[in-house]
Every structure is written in structure tokens, then in C-alpha cells.
Amino acid sequence: MTYQLGLYEKATPRRLTWKDRMKEARTAGFDFLELSIDESEERLSRLNWSAQNRKEMFALSRDTGVPFGSICLSGHRKYPLGSGDPDLRAQGLEIMEKALALACDLGIRYIQLAGYDVYYEDASADTVVRFGENLRKSVDMAAGCGVVLGFETMETPFMDTVQKAMSYVGSVGSPYLGIYPDLGNLTNASLLYGVPVTDDLQTGAGHIIAAHIKETRPGEYRDVPFGSGHVDFPAVLGACWELGVRRYVTEFWYQGSDAWRDDLRQAAALAHGILGPLSKEA
């Protein structure tokens, strides 16, 4: 297989069992699931799954043929590494340590980090310094676990481009820190800065570990149905492919529609329709 396509967990209804979610993903045309560890207590509690629970989840993912391929770790929005509150910073590092342990137990090799120094508090030169210090601690932990961390390009000025993310990747200088860009967010950043997404992606050459396939509109960063926004998927996916990116995740959210299975199939068809021909040309 020349590339793999993952499904963001939140694209499916919460009511599904993990077994059913994995089967639905496989039926729709996906190869793996991206597990969400967001700031909600429900999803943060996954960091405390028992050893038995982890063994069962690992076995289930292998039995269904749909493993957990990555973790989207956005819990640091609430517990940011750059926070002025030492307790929040300590909790942020604990979340990082537990997420890495969970990744090891579930056979996950990639964790996507939200590119924020802080989110709910005011940013400053001090939050940037603290973020950098704790990022290095996080990368050291990741290196010990053999798990690669990748920055998601976000919707705030701190890290909304690949070029900005590369400043941290370059300064840390570890094979365990790369970039996992959000192609929709990059498209909005392109409008802000006047730099084509394809040019921005080039600044991360050799360091892009995967990519989120997401639709956006100018100023809108989520809940935009595929095909109703402004992301030039053939161009941006083509650029990612030329840069050697072979892991992708369609990022969208379940909105309560009875047609959610159709949404899954359409997202997979969009991605495979572009990536499939690229893989045959390779």
C-alpha cells in the first residue's frame, strides 16, 4: 500500500461502540482511526484506561483490521504548555506523558499536537518561552517512547503556517518532532498572508509526517462540508504527495445527520479520488 487514509473519530456518532466504529470506517474506505484526546473530561479519561482495557482495544483494532493510527491531542488547549499557571503546565506535561504511554500500548506511532502556546489566556513573550521549554521536554519523552509528534497548523497567529511550525522543528532538531498540517487551516492562512499553500508546504520539506484533509471557508475553520469550501484539494494533496507524505486523515465532524455514513463514504471517495491516481503515477 503506497498511502494510508485515516478517519477522524469525531466524524462518527458517539453512540457507536468501538467495534462498530471500526467496521464503519473500513466499509467506508478508511485504513485506520485517529483517536481524539481533547479537553473534555470524557476523552481525557482515556489517558487512564486500564492495562486490560488497552489490551482489549489493541486486540479489537487488529481483529477489525482498522487500527488506531494516530492521536489528535488537543487537550493542551485547556492545559497549555506555555501557561502562566504552573499547575496547568504540570498537567499539560502529564497529559503528554500519558498520551505517549497510551500510544505505545495501542501501537500508535504518531501524535498530532495543537500548535498553541496558550489558548484561553493571553499570549506573551513569556508564554512563548515556556512553550518552547516544555516542548523540548515533550520531545525528549516522545523520543524515549519512539513516537513521533507533529504540529497541527491552527487558526491563531501563533502557528497557522508550516513556516511558523518549522521554526520550532528546526530549533528542537529532533527526528521525533515534525509537522502534521491542517490543509484547510493553511488555506485560510494563505488568504491572510498572500502565500500559496503549496509554497508554505514546501518550507516543511522532509518534516511533514501526515496531513489533515479538511474543508474551510474564508474565516471559517470547521463544520464546512467537503465541496462547499475553498480548499483546492488536488493542488494541496498533490503538493503533499510530492513532499513524500503518505498518511492522511479526513477531518470533519458528525452533526447529527442520519446520512453520516454517506458523509464517511464521500470523504473517503474525495481523498482516494485524488491520492489513488497519484499513487499509480509514482
Side-chain angles (χ1 to χ4, degrees), residues 142-158:
C145 296
V147 175
V148 179
L149 307 179
F151 282 126
E152 180 177 14
T153 49
M154 308 309 295
E155 77 285 8
T156 62
F158 178 72

Side-chain angles (χ1 to χ4, degrees), residues 23-181:
K23 287 184 174 180
E24 293 286 356
R26 173 62 72 189
T27 299
F30 294 93
D31 302 301
F32 65 90
L33 279 177
E34 182 162 87
L35 180 69
S36 170
I37 305 291
D38 63 18
E39 61 190 287
S40 69
E41 290 305 314
E42 175 194 354
R43 289 194 167 97
L44 283 172
S45 69
R46 295 170 176 179
L47 298 175
N48 298 315
W49 278 346
S50 68
Q52 182 60 35
N53 195 185
R54 294 172 190 224
K55 289 179 182 178
E56 292 171 354
M57 293 294 284
F58 180 83
L60 178 63
S61 69
R62 268 47 187 180
D63 289 344
T64 59
V66 182
F68 290 109
S70 52
I71 294 175
C72 179
L73 181 60
S74 56
H76 284 133
R77 293 203 335 172
K78 188 175 181 181
Y79 303 99
L81 297 177
S83 176
D85 184 333
D87 290 336
L88 289 180
R89 294 199 305 274
Q91 290 179 78
L93 285 173
E94 182 181 13
I95 286 171
M96 190 74 257
E97 185 175 16
K98 287 184 174 182
L100 287 164
L102 181 63
C104 290
D105 289 340
L106 296 181
I108 294 171
R109 299 184 295 277
Y110 305 98
I111 295 179
Q112 184 188 56
L113 297 179
Y116 302 119
D117 56 342
V118 290
Y119 188 77
Y120 294 113
E121 59 190 271
D122 292 336
S124 68
D126 289 337
T127 63
V128 173
V129 170
R130 288 191 291 265
F131 173 80
E133 292 172 349
N134 288 316
L135 173 65
R136 285 174 172 82
K137 294 177 183 178
S138 298
V139 175
D140 284 344
M141 288 190 284
C145 296
V147 175
V148 179
L149 307 179
F151 282 126
E152 180 177 14
T153 49
M154 308 309 295
E155 77 285 8
T156 62
F158 178 72
M159 195 180 291
D160 53 359
T161 67
V162 171
Q163 185 175 30
K164 290 179 181 180
M166 274 301 299
S167 68
Y168 285 96
V169 172
S171 65
V172 172
S174 169
Y176 292 94
L177 179 64
I179 306 172
Y180 186 154

Side-chain angles (χ1 to χ4, degrees), residues 193-247:
Y193 305 123
V195 178
V197 179
T198 51
D199 289 356
D200 185 45
L201 285 167
Q202 286 289 337
T203 67
H207 299 280
I208 300 178
I209 63 173
H212 262 178
I213 302 173
K214 189 182 76 177
E215 183 71 277
T216 54
R217 299 189 189 102
E220 295 183 52
Y221 289 85
R222 57 176 293 158
D223 299 329
V224 178
F226 286 115
S228 66
H230 65 154
V231 179
D232 186 345
F233 289 112
V236 295
L237 289 176
C240 286
W241 188 271
E242 289 299 317
L243 289 168
V245 182
R246 297 295 183 267
R247 294 181 68 86

